[in-house]
Amino acid sequence: MKRHPTSRFNVIASPYAVWAALFIIAPLIFVVYYSFTDAAGAFTTENVSALSKYLPTFLRSIWFGIVATLICLVIAYPTAYLISQKTENIQRTMVLLVMLPMWMSFLIRTYSWMAILEDENGIINGFLANLGLPRVHMINTSFAVILGMVYNFLPYMIMPIYSVMAKLDRSMVEAAQDLGGSRLTVIRRCIIPMSMPGVVSGITMVFVPSVSTFYISQKLGGGAFDLIGDVIERQFQQSYNYNLGAALSLVLMVLILISMAVMNRFTGDEEGMAI
Amino acid sequence: MKKICSLLLAMVLACLPCATALAAPDQSEIDALRGTKLYVYNWGEYISDGVDDTLDVNKAFTEKYGIEVVYDTYDNNEVMYSKLKGGGVSYDVVIPSDYMIERMIAEDMLEKINFDNIPNYKYIPEKYRNLPYDPDNEYSIPYTVSYVGLIYNTDMVDEAPDSWTALWDTDYENRILMFNNPRDAFAIAQSVLGMDYNMESPVAWKVAAELLMDQKNVSPVYVNDEVFNKMEGGEAAYAPYYVGDYLTMHDNNEALAFVYPKEGVNYFVDAACILKGTKNKRAAELYLDFLNEPDVALANAEYICYGSPHSEVYTNPDYTYYQNALLYPEEGAFKTQLFTNLSPETLQLMSTLWDDVKNYIPTAGSGTHDFFFGEVNSGSTEQTDGKKLTPEARKYAICIGVFLLLCLAYVIFRYARKKYRESI
């Protein structure tokens, strides 16, 4: 008597199902509920319609997220490729090095970037001044914020790409070489299309936290401009306006979901993935 | 040996009467609290904690009464309020500022204190009792009193400032720090404009918000606790902050100086309160009383560096800040205003306007220079009211649009190529 595979799956997955219901689905319901009610609990669309006020902030966050994601991709892809070409021992060490900064708290790492980028006591500017070069104003600019995003989220781009590349079918690459493909052609027609799933999940894992971050922009941007995460955080922490905060988060979530869905749709067809 | 024994016995005997005298009639009641827990919620760095041989107040309290203190901290009143309102936490003792106490009383969040259980309340002089936020003094016991003022770095500023307008001085672009919380930031603008901190007129709040937006021309850095690092390290020329914290910073950087601007400053009182729904009210009262023991209050005043409302502290010649002109200025030496609770409408307006201020990017003047995205200023000066995009927002919209178009073009190209290949 064969047991139905899905029923066994259900049993195994039940801990996570409970977890998801408690900590993912239930909070989402709260977010939706708060978005469409006012402080007294009555139905209103005021919060959602107040969003036009925050449109510039949304645009800024999305643009910063895109830039940070692209920079991460440009840095991470070759890195992941090079790591995957090494022997297993070296690979392990290099992966460890990539992960190493993540052993430290995200907050502390971001805070220490302040010390690196500062004008007077900053390490970079101190170095420049010692060489007799002019100081560069870096802290509290959008450059610093994007740098912070790239620095903090780069491992999230490298890891998924690397793990896909490490499992690439070497025989495919060899076959391409046997058929006379140049080095570039092999990469273009073979390695890139096959590593696309890693790229997609890397983009998701960098873009989503970049768009919604608030700590980085507060510390490295000096609060000179808001990202949407700052506005949301302020509604919950300072203004005690859960309704507006929830509405903003809801819109952010919907935007991210849409962009992820679109991206998955167009990278999903394996045919013609070559650039 | 015999001598020592008799000496010890004499001491014990001598101590006995005072021990019984100390033991108030409710001693058994206090003993019954042994082993219970007391949840305290206070500002960060706001209690003597035993570092550098100072008194560890919470530990001393536990040793004395056998009550375990569970201690948490917050950054500002609003965070504390949101956390308590949001539910899921229950504290017994909390130390908010004046206007927040008023709000919490109004919202029935505080428990009346039984002052019979606080004998040390006698050390709080008349002038710190019955303050406007708690007119009948039923809910709070003053913990610290202090002022906001202007800190400046004498290495960068030649002439001592006497006005808040120094924070609008374009000569110090990128070198000016600003409060990252709306109430304190607005108070500075209101001082400059000669307004009441507690006004309810929406128009007046908007005028103050415009002044704060105007400040963006000097690219102020909005800070909370980072002010310490930045001022001590000489990163900034000006910062508005609390006088007590200035004293701490001055210890680490002699070049810093402090002034009470002529337009007036915020005077504030942080006071200890007991929260409604406390499960250990008697222990909470013991704690409040303990905070006002002369040696505990002195240790706290030395550690926090804020003004103390405790008569045994500020009259103590051994106290480091005894008669300190900044901490204990003469009455009427400069204009001061207390915060009071604002109506919900005004609070709502203030947070909306604060969002506007934070989001505002100046379009005229030198503005923010930004080598990553180039100059962000050009074009008209209309504000972020959502109807028309600012030039900056338009720029981001165009960037995002171009990016999406590129993606779309690539997808179409792939689709076309796929079709072409299929047709071969």
Side-chain angles (χ1 to χ4, degrees), chain B residues 361-413:
Chain B
I361 304 255
T363 46
S366 48
T368 48
H369 46 67
D370 197 312
F371 72 78
F372 197 76
F373 287 100
E375 203 70 21
V376 291
N377 331 296
S378 59
S380 58
T381 50
E382 75 252 24
Q383 284 169 16
T384 329
D385 56 6
K387 294 195 180 67
K388 263 199 161 171
L389 289 180
T390 58
E392 197 232 2
R394 212 177 296 145
K395 198 188 74 186
Y396 291 132
I398 291 167
C399 290
I400 297 169
V402 169
F403 177 77
L404 290 179
L405 277 179
L406 280 176
C407 294
L408 190 70
Y410 172 64
V411 168
I412 292 172
F413 160 74

Side-chain angles (χ1 to χ4, degrees), chain B residues 276-315:
Chain B
K276 236 242 146 112
T278 170
K279 291 184 191 78
N280 208 351
K281 188 179 175 203
R282 189 69 190 85
E285 283 167 346
L286 278 179
Y287 191 77
L288 297 198
D289 192 50
F290 188 72
L291 289 179
N292 284 297
E293 300 252 353
D295 53 335
V296 174
L298 181 66
N300 276 336
E302 295 274 4
Y303 180 90
I304 307 171
C305 296
Y306 279 39
S308 170
H310 195 281
S311 60
E312 289 297 298
V313 173
Y314 65 75
T315 58

Side-chain angles (χ1 to χ4, degrees), chain B residues 238-274:
Chain B
Y238 289 113
Y241 219 65
Y242 313 109
V243 55
D245 294 320
Y246 157 71
L247 293 170
T248 312
M249 289 179 224
H250 184 74
D251 287 345
N252 297 317
N253 183 351
E254 295 278 316
L256 297 180
F258 184 89
V259 67
Y260 287 116
K262 61 182 182 213
E263 292 95 344
V265 299
N266 169 224
Y267 162 60
F268 65 86
V269 181
D270 290 344
C273 305
I274 301 179

Side-chain angles (χ1 to χ4, degrees), chain A residues 4-275:
Chain A
H4 201 272
T6 46
S7 71
R8 193 183 302 155
F9 174 77
N10 285 346
V11 173
I12 296 167
S14 62
Y16 183 72
V18 172
W19 176 272
L22 275 179
F23 300 113
I24 299 173
I25 309 292
L28 274 177
I29 293 171
F30 275 114
V31 168
V32 176
Y33 168 76
Y34 274 117
S35 303
F36 291 102
T37 51
D38 60 13
F43 178 80
T44 175
T45 53
E46 210 176 282
N47 302 312
V48 187
S49 57
L51 292 175
S52 61
K53 181 174 144 66
Y54 298 99
L55 183 63
T57 317
F58 265 109
L59 292 176
R60 189 189 294 129
S61 305
I62 293 171
W63 176 239
F64 279 27
I66 291 174
V67 172
T69 311
L70 288 181
I71 296 174
C72 278
L73 185 60
V74 167
I75 299 174
Y77 198 86
T79 313
Y81 176 71
L82 288 176
I83 296 178
S84 70
Q85 296 303 303
K86 304 286 174 204
T87 65
E88 212 151 279
N89 261 332
I90 297 178
Q91 277 189 32
R92 225 175 285 138
T93 317
M94 289 178 87
V95 167
L96 190 76
L97 287 178
V98 169
M99 302 285 289
L100 198 63
M102 294 169 75
W103 294 4
M104 230 187 312
S105 157
F106 160 75
L107 304 184
I108 294 171
R109 280 181 289 144
T110 307
Y111 206 89
S112 29
W113 267 105
M114 279 169 68
I116 298 173
L117 297 176
E118 271 177 347
D119 288 339
E120 296 297 324
N121 306 309
I123 294 171
I124 294 177
N125 273 319
F127 185 68
L128 288 178
N130 279 338
L131 291 178
L133 294 167
R135 290 170 185 272
V136 185
H137 176 61
M138 287 176 289
I139 189 88
N140 308 326
T141 62
S142 37
F143 162 76
V145 174
I146 290 179
L147 181 68
M149 289 177 181
V150 170
Y151 170 77
N152 275 308
F153 303 132
L154 189 59
Y156 297 105
M157 185 68 94
I158 296 180
M159 289 322 292
I161 298 179
Y162 160 75
S163 58
V164 169
M165 279 193 176
K167 293 191 190 74
L168 277 191
D169 193 348
R170 309 293 308 172
S171 55
M172 286 277 272
V173 178
E174 279 156 21
Q177 283 164 344
D178 285 351
L179 291 169
S182 69
R183 224 180 134 82
L184 197 70
T185 315
V186 172
I187 292 177
R188 202 167 63 91
R189 301 295 296 271
C190 205
I191 294 179
I192 290 183
M194 285 199 294
S195 63
M196 227 40 192
V199 172
V200 171
S201 62
I203 289 176
T204 316
M205 285 168 79
V206 173
F207 182 70
V208 173
S210 298
V211 169
S212 53
T213 186
F214 58 89
Y215 190 79
I216 296 174
S217 57
Q218 273 169 21
K219 298 297 147 185
L220 301 180
F225 44 81
D226 270 345
L227 294 186
I228 197 64
D230 295 304
V231 181
I232 295 173
E233 190 238 0
R234 199 155 57 235
Q235 302 313 318
F236 285 99
Q237 294 264 29
Q238 287 271 354
S239 315
Y240 189 60
N241 191 345
Y242 281 22
N243 309 97
L244 180 58
L248 291 170
S249 326
L250 188 68
V251 171
L252 186 62
M253 270 190 286
V254 169
L255 278 179
I256 290 173
L257 275 179
I258 291 174
S259 49
M260 290 308 135
V262 169
M263 198 171 70
N264 284 331
R265 166 70 189 80
F266 286 108
T267 49
D269 50 352
E270 65 298 327
E271 217 270 302
M273 282 301 293
I275 294 172

Side-chain angles (χ1 to χ4, degrees), chain B residues 2-68:
Chain B
K2 207 176 170 188
K3 226 176 183 176
I4 294 171
C5 278
S6 56
L7 197 67
L8 273 176
L9 190 71
M11 273 168 71
V12 169
L13 283 176
C15 284
L16 266 179
C18 49
T20 42
L22 271 176
D26 55 358
Q27 184 60 51
S28 58
E29 195 188 350
I30 293 169
D31 285 338
L33 295 171
R34 279 190 179 277
T36 58
K37 279 183 181 174
L38 183 70
Y39 294 84
V40 178
Y41 200 25
N42 192 4
W43 296 78
E45 299 283 314
Y46 221 48
I47 197 162
S48 182
D49 62 358
V51 170
D52 298 337
D53 287 333
T54 54
L55 176 74
D56 187 337
V57 173
N58 287 332
K59 206 173 143 204
F61 179 77
T62 306
E63 274 164 14
K64 181 164 178 185
Y65 294 108
I67 299 168
E68 189 191 335

